[in-house]
Amino acid sequence: MSLPHAILTALLEKPSSGLELTRRFDKSFGYFWSATHQQIYRELGRLEREGLIRALTPQVPARGQKKEYEVLPGGRAELARWTAAPQDPKAMRDPLLLRLRSAAVVGTDGIDAELRRHLDLHRRQLETYRAIEVRDFPPEKDTMPDRLQHAVLGAGIALETFWVEWLERTLADLSASPSGP
């Protein structure tokens, strides 16, 4: 149920077309909540049918013009309701962890290369997040919305830091251990 709420949030930040939303998801929301172009368009249609958003009337009618959407009062109310509602944490499902567990049974051939690949990916993501932090959150940017958005980025930084440290430690442990199931 979170994709519609992510779309409502994005549209409250800035009315947008489906294509613009897809691009914005790739650059911000996508770091913690991904969605395909098709999923976004499907949800836009559903949100519009439910009366939570509407397509804006273009200033100058033109053929093939992109629909731009805005959130209606009912959409804002739904987002506020959802934001305040309790929700339990989701269980982590990570294929890498399952693959490590499987390697304990069938052998570790190739697992160290995959761990190194993941380490490289997490290091790059951590660098990206830190660059975003420097670029988008200077000390003078200190409103409540800024602090909330910075907290989301901080969670990403902490998570990537965890993965980098855990992968480095796991690789060190595996290289010090005898191989075999």
Side-chain angles (χ1 to χ4, degrees), residues 30-100:
Y31 288 121
F32 57 90
W33 195 268
S34 62
T36 66
H37 185 76
Q38 294 83 2
Q39 289 171 316
I40 289 171
Y41 273 92
R42 190 171 37 248
E43 284 300 325
L44 284 170
R46 191 179 67 71
L47 290 168
E48 189 173 28
R49 284 189 304 278
E50 291 178 2
L52 301 178
I53 65 171
R54 71 172 171 198
L56 295 170
T57 306
Q59 298 290 338
V60 180
R63 198 181 119 148
Q65 188 168 9
K66 297 178 280 188
K67 276 189 191 178
E68 193 169 89
Y69 296 91
E70 70 175 354
V71 177
L72 295 171
R76 180 180 283 275
E78 168 53 23
L79 186 58
R81 182 208 61 75
W82 178 80
T83 300
Q87 184 173 3
D88 293 337
K90 300 290 181 203
M92 181 169 39
R93 291 177 54 177
D94 191 296
L96 180 62
L97 298 177
L98 181 56
R99 292 169 71 198
L100 283 179

Side-chain angles (χ1 to χ4, degrees), residues 12 49 58 90 93-94 101 103 107 116 149 165:
L12 280 169
R49 284 189 304 278
K90 300 290 181 203
R93 291 177 54 177
D94 191 296
R101 180 73 183 255
R116 279 193 217 76
Q149 289 178 352
E165 291 172 357

Side-chain angles (χ1 to χ4, degrees), residues 102-115:
S102 300
V105 177
V106 298
T108 59
D109 287 347
I111 200 72
D112 57 337
E114 183 63 358
L115 290 170

